[in-house]
Amino acid sequence: MEKLEAALAKAREMRRAALGTPEVVREKVAPGSGQAAGIWASLPEIQLSPMKALRNRITALAGNKDATPYDMLRSRTIRLMKEKGWTRLAITSPGAACGKTTVALNLALSLSRQKDLKVMLVDLDLRRPSLHRTIGHTPARSMHEVLEGAAGFEDVAVRMGANLVLAMNAAPARHPAELLQSAATRETLDAIERRWQPDIMLFDMSPMLASDDNVGFLGNVDCALLIAAAESTTLSNIDLCEKELAQLTNVLGVVLNKCRYPDDSVGYAYGSYA
């Protein structure tokens, strides 16, 4: 892990020296009427059973020592996003099976344990949506129908606890790249943010190297987190994706997931880091 971090740091410095890393600024959405608390409470509430959470590696649900890696990621995320005034975070990966949906849900749950934060997690991996399977709840309508104008956000949104809203998909979208890159998607997300007033919006995106879905969409977020899988994601793929992300939005960081061997030099050897 130390060698990987050193190699990534060297690659970043080389890019900065050659090209620089100008900050990408997203136009902010004006706040709505301030009536968000009531509509959040009106959403149907779902539960994630401890057994399903254990089976799907959702360790941030209980908030015990197993949640520590995600709590550390949460604290760094909150600090960096507050410093910059950012509210929208995309979570992606170089390829499939890196665990980005697992990380996204765990981060959302960890954030929602901060009672003064209102958090949204939106499944925008429209080719292979999996958040509904991880949660164990299949919605009657899909988030891609909301983006298409065929359904309202209230038709797909559910609440987990008092301050976490999930928007999922029951099935893949027919033309995900065109939909995600459309002006209608940008306007719909702006309308959702204006009405519901979340403090942080998380977007579970498709893998970077699998399609062009992210290219036209990432201008709609403030920053992105790249999830890599230990022992399977190559350094060259991490570097390539981080470079492309930096051209589309601000890179919040890289998370190395699926570490089989703990790093005893960091924290209490829980084996994950951001």
Side-chain angles (χ1 to χ4, degrees), residues 5 30 39 74 77 116 132 170 190:
E5 284 188 304
I39 58 174
R74 170 194 66 190
T77 298
D116 57 339
H132 64 293
D190 288 350

Side-chain angles (χ1 to χ4, degrees), residues 93-96 125 127-128 206-214 241:
S93 60
D125 187 346
R127 294 178 186 270
R128 293 184 178 179
S206 60
M208 294 284 294
L209 301 178
S211 68
D212 64 336
D213 293 358
N214 293 297
C241 292

